[in-house]
Amino acid sequence: MRRFSLSSLLSESLNGHRGWGRQWRDPQPKPAYDVVIVGGGGHGLATAYYLATVHGITNVAVLEKGWIGGGNTGRNTTIIRSNYLYDESAALYEHALKLWEGLSQELNYNVMFSQRGVLMLAHNLHDVQSFKRHVYANRLNGIDNEWLTKEECKEFCPPIDISGSLRYPVLGGALQRRAGTARHDAVAWGYARGADARGVDIIQNCEVKGIRRDASGAAIGVETTRGYIGAKRIGVVAAGHTSTVMAMADVRMPLESYPLQALVSEPVKPVFPCVVMSNAVHAYISQSDKGELVIGAGTDQYTSYSQQGGLHITTHTLDAICEVFPQFTRMRMLRSWGGIVDVTPDRSPIIGKTPVENLFVNCGWGTGGFKATPGSGHVFAHTLAKGEPHPINAPFTLDRFRTGRLIDEAAAAAVAH
Amino acid sequence: MAQPFRLSRGGRIDRSRPVRFTFNGRTVEGFHGDSVASALLANGIHLVGRSFKYHRPRGILSHGPDEPSALLSVDRGPGRIDPNNRASVVEARDGLKTLSQNHWPSLEHDIGAVNDLLSPVFVAGFYYKTFMWPRKFWDKVYEPFIRAAAGLGKAPSVPDPDRYANRHAHCDVLVVGAGPAGLSAALAAARTGKRVILADEGPEPGGALLHDVTAEIDGRPAAEWLSATLAELDSRETVILLPRTTAFGYYNHNHVALAERITDHLPNPGTAPRERLWQVRAEQVVLAGGSHERPLVFADNDRPGILLAESVRVFINRYGVAPGRRIVFATSGASAYAAALDAKAAGLHVTLVDLRTESECGPELARLKATGAEVLTGHTVIGAKGTKRVTGLIVAPVDRAGRCGARRLLPCDCVGMSGGWTPAVHLFSQSRGKLAYDETIDAFRPGTSVQAERSAGASRGTYDLAGCLQEGFAAGAAAARSEERRNFTASPTLTGFRPVRAMPTDVDPGKVRAFVDFQNDVTAKDITLAVREGFHSIEHVKRYTTTGMATDQGKTSNMNALGIVAGQLDKTLPGVGTTTFRPPYTPVTFGALVGPARHALFDPIRTTPIHEWAEEHGALFENVALWRRAWYFPKSGEDLHEAVARECEAVRKGVGIFDASTLGKIEVVGPDAAEFMNRIYINPWLKLDVGRCRYGLMLKEDGYILDDGVVARIAPDCFHVTTTTGGAPRVLAHMEDYLQTEWPDLRVFLTSTTEQWAVIALQGPKAREVIAPLVDGIDLSPEAFPHMAMRQGTICGVPTRLFRVSFTGELGFEINVPSDHARAVWEAVWKAGQAHGITPYGTETMHVLRAEKGYIIIGQETDGTVTPDDVGLSGMIAKAKKDFVGKRSLARPDVVASGRKQLVGLVTDDPKVVLDEGAQIVDDPGQPIPMRMLGHVTSSYWSPNCGRSIAMALVADGRARQGRSLHVTTPEGFARVTVVDPVFFDPKGERIHA
Amino acid sequence: MLLIACPYCGNRPETEFRCGGQAHIARPADPGALSDAQWAEYLFIRDNPRGIHAERWNHVHGCGRWFNARRDTVSDRFLATYKMGETPQSQESNSILSTSTQAEARA
């Protein structure tokens, strides 16, 4: 791997940039690998990277049906935060956030992790109580999160309308200053480049069509559009397509795949300094380095693999944006799109073993998986390397749906009465 | 001299109606019918902006919605300023103020242009390779710098004075685009009598007919056909013709979204909405959105004065403007000859450079040569001269192998370039139709349809006029289920081109800055670099270089980028693929999408019949679900705490009146009503006597508490169910779901009666005395009407279901009366209560009073993860019932395990300290972080009646910790508390039976 | 926004409906007899197919009735909607079924 540095960039500048080689190879699949990862999104690529760097396992293939980072990695609104309520989630997302903080240097790839702060607005008394619960819990878990009055919210993010004329006026907010955004595509590319440099084969345009199992039922490899590939262990990291892949091994999952939409405005000069989330009115907004307002919409109500949703979801989101930021009504929507998010019954991920020997799964990230990318890859690599979960992902079992030990962050933020 | 580049005749502008607007403060004159772009060109203004990254001078490239460069901030009056308007689609009108963007200190002298000198460093993806050292510099130094440099115009900073409208419509045939194909389609469909909507993005229907001034249709000038067609469409009541209306999104099941611009072109918008969003559900759709011209990719092809060839033609013919006096057309196809012929006819100096050899050309060559214009076939364009305006074009002969001959400089002040055409397949692709690559037109065209639509004309790759008309007519007829077909004759159209990617050049392509995406400053060598670095999927190339991600979303750049990638990889275009077309087709104003949905119309506001009385009596309100509820009733000078303290004491010592009308109410009726209740609730219902009430608790199937409320049995087959305020819709939905889908055999009917019954809660020791004189037909004595009973009678002559229930722990009544009579009854009770010191109270006091009694509130003590046992209510479960919704889940291993959080009371060591709701609880505040948290405070108040603070909490194994000390977080640190029973007031519950 | 043919009311826009997830999962007659794993299967495990999916819809802002539908989760095209207790007409063989022809098939 040719390291990126100021001097390499400058010397290439004089050379018409002819010296830059491929950021990752385009290898032919080998007959077998120690670990095969199904899914070349951020989580899958991060898993491969940490298998190689932390566990020294480099005989690894990442199989991607299309192009790497082409699923939810390249379709999300890039919000990164760790201010989760429950200890289990807080540990997982904080683990990820700590890795984000050094990721550009670790990967020698600028993923533009920008700690501009995530401000979550409270619009009713119930929100206030719920956010304070988060703030207090986070503090005791060593996670920064602070309560701001509405005036402090306005000071931190001047575009917010804190007047009483809103249908649901802003009453205050919870701010995590270490939270922020990153350049989503670069995360996939950076991990791919780092993994490839250590020997991992990243194989694009390679769709898994079956999972081969031996007489004992253990998984031993995958059938793909580019032939059979043997594997000592298989990690499925296929997001919205996880149910389909796991069905190849006769494993039924507690997952449903929904369209999730997002949109951007035309680019404008800096006007929005942070990330604002408003669960009560369903608005999520930040401004990209390119200048676009990046706005997250909600999921459609039905399962779908179409990567397209209804206009009413988009308009509902913009209703909320223009309610809280009335000066943006004259802005224009430039592009909207959809992803497919896999949602579990408690809306927390499943990371660990499956009933099939040698088959592991990392899924169910729902609408919030991007922020976890480094942490998810790190603990899943551990799980694949050791055959047992890392303490951080140990609670995120498939079995919790049997025992009832759910990790339901959304229920904990129950609506007001 | 005004408008030096206005041609002396021609164009569709109204020369009798001059308009004046400003550009960067300078007054610009034009005529009614001009676009801002045409008026600027009429005044010789080409330099109108700076590019995104390199701050290169940019001009006007196009006449239409694909314009990537000429983006202006437009000021239409106070509060009506917005950025990034395409000069080509903004209609010129009096009073507009337009400003160029992305430069400092001025358009002509832009410091940012230093980036252009650094362009060898600032190649595609350079930022991924740098700005990493030292780490802290990203947030503090590099990113702020990048962000300040990026973005185009400035976002509006004040609320928008304009309003926006929404409309839903249905039609049989929606036709998108009113060019020859769309008009012909609309005509065919309209003649069948079907309902037709014809939408066109321009101010005037006609499409290419508006500038194809020499065209003939059926032997007559095309303009005559156009006016006859419009007249016929206009005469039909079943046709809606929408100019200035862009079909921008094609969604599921033929749901098509249109954005209509209503007032931007009017000097005085009046009270009309600025824009209107049309959501059309069409039986059939005809897509006739035309095509886009491709720029040629050569060095410095972005200089002001270099336009698309067809745009030059449009400016000359439609606007009567000469984009230059000395024009060089550079092309690889036939259509530019039409532009050249029209330029020549307008008296301009014309030279045409064609990459094609003479033998590749059609009749266009001879026609142009016949005018005396110089035509250089077999020539490539090496580059452009000039910086803020093109001054010349360097051309050279080239052979098919790409070898260039001697250069020649063609001096000029305008270039019209054409690299061929791309059908506008955006909406077709959005409809999920499969694109098919057609080598003969070097483009993707609509392939397999998925929805009920068909494409016609140039958007289908049919470029000749007769073909467009014929295809349009056939599509319109077929969409309207008619067999009618028509043949059209028309003057021939000059079509055909040789596909070209980057133009052949005699210099090192690695050093050539030939722009592919003009706005985002992506050059051919950027794309080459991306491919070299392994970005082979077109989606990767797009994301790495940002080509196609500008505000034109690749309309001018995508095919050139794709061609360059394909060339690099030695693949075919379909082998590389296309990026996905996403809504919107062109940018859409947020306001149009939002419509009137702001403030009070953002969400419905539900109010009770008592709302106005509460307003009149000074109540402050809180939002609870969709309801506005009276929060507290401050007397002058009182704050929340003072008012609530007074209200709380009044209830316990005298009597308080409270509006409980927002409680959800459901009438459960039918022979199997009791059985149904038994299955839905955890409690037993079969033996509840008529006239008695019971507090009911219901679970979701996962075992967690869904809702609660008092239920009265009105009759053996009738229950009056109450729910929480916010829970009413979901409880009814929950009940209906089970009734309809699991137990359809049960004879039960469910009716929401939330808005039929208003509820006046009268609570306090004097409650009985207050209502006694008003009630008829009910014996109010404690013996005859005990706690948890319901009686029917009248109050003030109004029929009532009178509940003797209490959420305060006091003697209390909830007076259910029909909503229409509620205010009258309320006022009567209020009047009768004056002698007893009756006090109105709000939700805050209600919360405090119930907390003093340890009553839970769903959503406060429970949060969707709480079981009946967790809140100490497992005793309510009917042990004899084999099943009810949620029962099985209560036996899951983790639900029966020890260590669950249980509801307890907390009292602080310092009685004055009121804990924060949401505060966390620990055993040992000295432990290291991360601390082990035992639970959290669910409710916390100052209790005037207890004379101290009280709190409820969910604490791990809480019931076993009674009497123990714990520590609760405060803003400053921790407060020590003792775990107690959660009933703080009247623990024996005697008052309620008074 | 989908166009949904309520078996009771005809074609109506999606915003009048609430989707109730996978259809034809009967509530066990005797939940108490089920193991924890079987109960979890009933509560949580869903088919989530990429293709034809049977699902429940409620015309909540219309007639209030629940009904079933078969929909292709790749194209979002409805193959059939039918009342609770009915079996769907099999229309899977029609490869391209526009919303309008679907409406006609229902009429």
Side-chain angles (χ1 to χ4, degrees), chain B residues 617-656:
Chain B
H617 287 76
L620 296 183
F621 293 85
E622 69 161 328
N623 287 308
V624 182
L626 293 176
W627 293 94
R628 284 269 158 85
R629 300 195 73 180
W631 188 16
Y632 59 103
F633 289 83
K635 291 190 169 173
S636 79
E638 279 184 338
D639 65 10
L640 169 69
H641 298 285
E642 289 159 351
V644 169
R646 174 180 51 73
E647 291 172 15
C648 283
E649 286 185 57
V651 172
R652 297 246 183 260
K653 290 181 178 151
V655 61

Side-chain angles (χ1 to χ4, degrees), chain A residues 205-233:
Chain A
N205 301 308
C206 179
E207 184 176 358
V208 170
K209 306 294 275 186
I211 295 176
R212 196 181 285 183
R213 297 162 70 182
D214 67 11
S216 74
I220 54 168
V222 291
E223 315 283 353
T224 79
T225 49
R226 296 175 70 171
Y228 174 75
I229 301 171
K232 290 182 184 152
R233 284 187 177 143

Side-chain angles (χ1 to χ4, degrees), chain A residues 17-18 114 136 167 332-333 411, chain B residues 83 120 143 508 532 588 863:
Chain A
H17 296 271
R18 285 182 179 79
S114 167
Y136 280 122
R167 174 68 178 86
R332 285 182 282 270
M333 174 168 82
Chain B
E143 191 185 40
D508 175 357
R532 188 183 311 134
V588 178
D863 67 2

Side-chain angles (χ1 to χ4, degrees), chain C residues 33-52:
Chain C
L34 266 52
S35 69
D36 290 325
Q38 288 169 321
W39 182 245
E41 167 105 7
Y42 163 70
L43 281 183
F44 298 129
I45 303 293
R46 296 294 179 263
D47 284 346
N48 200 27
R50 197 181 145 79
I52 309 297

Side-chain angles (χ1 to χ4, degrees), chain B residues 500-692:
Chain B
V500 56
R501 314 306 174 201
M503 294 290 271
T505 180
D506 57 7
V507 297
D508 175 357
K511 301 214 165 136
V512 169
R513 296 176 68 205
F515 287 83
V516 174
D517 186 312
F518 288 77
Q519 187 181 116
N520 277 355
D521 280 335
V522 181
T523 61
K525 69 177 178 180
D526 284 322
I527 292 171
T528 310
L529 172 63
V531 172
R532 188 183 311 134
E533 290 193 90
F535 296 89
H536 292 184
S537 158
I538 191 66
E539 285 283 358
H540 276 160
V541 173
K542 168 182 153 188
R543 286 153 183 266
Y544 193 66
T545 64
T546 74
T547 188
M549 297 178 82
T551 56
D552 73 321
Q553 290 286 288
K555 289 184 184 70
T556 50
S557 59
N558 273 353
M559 285 306 287
N560 283 335
L562 194 59
I564 292 167
V565 173
Q568 285 286 305
L569 295 174
D570 202 19
K571 284 184 175 175
T572 60
L573 290 188
V576 179
T578 71
T579 59
T580 316
F581 291 96
R582 296 285 187 182
Y585 171 64
T586 54
V588 178
T589 310
F590 284 2
L593 295 164
V594 170
R598 304 270 309 283
H599 298 348
L601 297 180
F602 175 76
D603 247 358
I605 299 175
R606 298 179 79 182
T607 56
T608 73
I610 315 302
H611 186 81
E612 281 155 23
W613 186 94
E615 279 183 333
E616 291 158 17
H617 287 76
L620 296 183
F621 293 85
E622 69 161 328
N623 287 308
V624 182
L626 293 176
W627 293 94
R628 284 269 158 85
R629 300 195 73 180
W631 188 16
Y632 59 103
F633 289 83
K635 291 190 169 173
S636 79
E638 279 184 338
D639 65 10
L640 169 69
H641 298 285
E642 289 159 351
V644 169
R646 174 180 51 73
E647 291 172 15
C648 283
E649 286 185 57
V651 172
R652 297 246 183 260
K653 290 181 178 151
V655 61
I657 186 168
F658 174 73
D659 179 10
S661 303
T662 63
L663 285 182
K665 279 140 285 192
I666 300 167
E667 197 97 334
V668 178
V669 179
D672 298 319
E675 172 62 21
F676 176 75
M677 294 290 290
N678 239 19
R679 296 185 192 183
I680 287 285
Y681 283 87
I682 71 171
N683 325 58
W685 297 95
L686 300 179
K687 292 179 182 160
L688 183 69
D689 290 331
V690 170
R692 296 294 302 184

